[in-house]
Amino acid sequence: NGSVSSHLRFYSDHNSIGSQRIPDGHLDLLLSYDLLGISDQNITNKINHNRTNIVLNSNQQPTGHFAQDETKFVEMESFKTLAKNLTKNKINFIDTTSIAEKLTGNTMASNLFMLGFSVQKNLLPIQPDSILKAIELNAVQVKMNSLAFNWGRIYAEFPEKVHSEIKFKVNDENLLEKDKVESRYKKLITYHNQKYAEKYETEINKFKPSLNKDEIEYFSVSLYKIMAFKDEYEVARSLSSKNLLST
């Protein structure tokens, strides 16, 4: 487990094209799609304190080390302090994973959301229409990726409007508690079988009398995530499902 980086360089004159790798201290923009991006020395060496802009997905994901030792979870403030010491320019901490999921229903839209934000902020020398055309030509999740990209652009100018839209969508999609549990129950049947799903329902009913509405929802979601853990076999099954392949 560790960070993965890609170097992207832009040239106005093809005759001046040199190495594809960015030399240390010459980075203009760091798009860090997870927090590991600002904790890897191979990446931070590229940063120029007076030049580099940083757009960072602040969503905290457990690492391999945390899976083995729960005490090895780095607090967000540690990452913020580290980032502020790297550059004098503004650092954009955005929980793009959560925002993208609420706007599009898919956490994978986080990357395009961040790209849209960066393009709108003129941190990348690319026209928005060029990105949208590339998404179209790629022909993979075109609607979702285009939507995420445009939401990122809107967030760059009007973050409060995006958060208002998220709040509206959450309220608009606010199923009754029993309907949410029922939905997860059905998903667990698909994931494994009915007997397995009944275990989920039994646990929810066991604790429901002692929990308020928010606590029930938190417990329900957490238990579902544990029971529907996506190992590599489950991911393969999901990606090969008829519903996904038909979209």
Side-chain angles (χ1 to χ4, degrees), residues 3-7 21-32 34-54 56 78-88 91:
S3 59
V4 177
S5 63
S6 298
H7 294 234
R21 296 188 64 80
I22 299 172
D24 288 357
H26 285 73
L27 183 63
D28 291 307
L29 172 66
L30 172 60
L31 283 177
S32 187
D34 61 54
L35 292 169
L36 293 176
I38 56 167
S39 59
D40 186 332
Q41 189 171 359
N42 291 323
I43 296 174
T44 57
N45 284 344
K46 308 298 178 185
I47 293 176
N48 183 305
H49 183 74
N50 298 309
R51 171 177 173 178
T52 305
N53 290 287
I54 297 176
L56 174 67
S78 299
F79 284 108
K80 287 185 176 181
T81 300
L82 172 61
K84 289 176 181 177
N85 289 333
L86 292 173
T87 178
K88 71 174 186 179
I91 303 165

Side-chain angles (χ1 to χ4, degrees), residues 83-117:
K84 289 176 181 177
N85 289 333
L86 292 173
T87 178
K88 71 174 186 179
N89 292 335
K90 182 178 180 181
I91 303 165
N92 299 280
F93 285 91
I94 311 169
D95 188 350
T96 58
T97 298
S98 296
I99 294 174
E101 182 178 25
K102 290 171 182 174
L103 290 172
T104 70
N106 195 326
T107 59
M108 295 300 292
S110 169
N111 293 356
L112 267 298
F113 180 92
M114 187 181 292
L115 184 62
F117 176 90

Side-chain angles (χ1 to χ4, degrees), residues 9-246:
R9 305 185 74 177
F10 296 89
Y11 294 90
S12 57
D13 179 7
H14 71 274
N15 292 315
S16 62
I17 296 177
S19 169
Q20 71 272 27
R21 296 188 64 80
I22 299 172
D24 288 357
H26 285 73
L27 183 63
D28 291 307
L29 172 66
L30 172 60
L31 283 177
S32 187
Y33 292 106
D34 61 54
L35 292 169
L36 293 176
I38 56 167
S39 59
D40 186 332
Q41 189 171 359
N42 291 323
I43 296 174
T44 57
N45 284 344
K46 308 298 178 185
I47 293 176
N48 183 305
H49 183 74
N50 298 309
R51 171 177 173 178
T52 305
N53 290 287
I54 297 176
V55 180
L56 174 67
N57 180 5
S58 61
N59 186 268
Q60 289 182 278
Q61 296 289 336
T63 63
H65 293 298
F66 176 75
Q68 299 174 15
D69 183 353
E70 63 182 17
T71 64
K72 295 185 180 297
F73 192 78
V74 184
E75 295 295 333
M76 174 57 67
E77 288 305 314
S78 299
F79 284 108
K80 287 185 176 181
T81 300
L82 172 61
K84 289 176 181 177
N85 289 333
L86 292 173
T87 178
K88 71 174 186 179
N89 292 335
K90 182 178 180 181
I91 303 165
N92 299 280
F93 285 91
I94 311 169
D95 188 350
T96 58
T97 298
S98 296
I99 294 174
E101 182 178 25
K102 290 171 182 174
L103 290 172
T104 70
N106 195 326
T107 59
M108 295 300 292
S110 169
N111 293 356
L112 267 298
F113 180 92
M114 187 181 292
L115 184 62
F117 176 90
S118 303
V119 169
Q120 189 65 27
K121 287 290 188 181
N122 294 317
L123 298 177
L124 282 169
I126 310 176
Q127 292 298 314
D129 287 346
S130 298
I131 298 291
L132 291 171
K133 185 62 177 178
I135 293 172
E136 181 183 341
L137 291 173
N138 191 47
V140 176
Q141 295 282 359
V142 174
K143 183 177 179 180
M144 182 193 76
N145 287 328
S146 299
L147 183 64
F149 178 76
N150 284 324
W151 272 121
R153 294 180 62 200
I154 296 171
Y155 189 87
E157 302 292 340
F158 310 105
E160 69 286 348
K161 289 189 177 182
V162 176
H163 286 296
S164 294
E165 175 67 17
I166 290 172
K167 186 176 181 180
F168 171 79
K169 289 175 77 70
V170 170
N171 290 336
D172 189 51
E173 298 168 2
N174 189 22
L175 297 173
L176 294 174
E177 172 199 317
K178 63 172 183 170
D179 295 328
K180 292 181 180 180
V181 173
E182 178 67 17
S183 174
R184 293 169 191 139
Y185 171 84
K186 291 179 179 178
K187 288 178 181 178
L188 286 172
I189 293 176
T190 302
Y191 175 82
H192 195 50
N193 57 39
Q194 185 167 348
K195 186 176 181 180
Y196 187 69
E198 287 172 354
K199 291 182 180 180
Y200 169 79
E201 191 174 49
T202 299
E203 290 300 312
I204 298 297
N205 291 333
K206 183 192 301 183
F207 290 97
K208 187 182 293 186
S210 60
L211 301 176
N212 61 38
K213 182 179 178 181
D214 291 337
E215 290 171 335
I216 292 171
E217 173 62 9
Y218 182 82
F219 176 64
S220 172
V221 171
S222 299
L223 181 60
Y224 172 77
K225 287 182 177 180
I226 292 172
M227 295 183 71
F229 178 76
K230 300 292 190 291
D231 61 17
E232 60 268 33
Y233 300 105
E234 171 60 15
V235 170
R237 187 194 66 77
S238 298
L239 291 178
S240 60
S241 69
K242 291 181 180 179
N243 289 338
L244 183 63
L245 293 174
S246 63

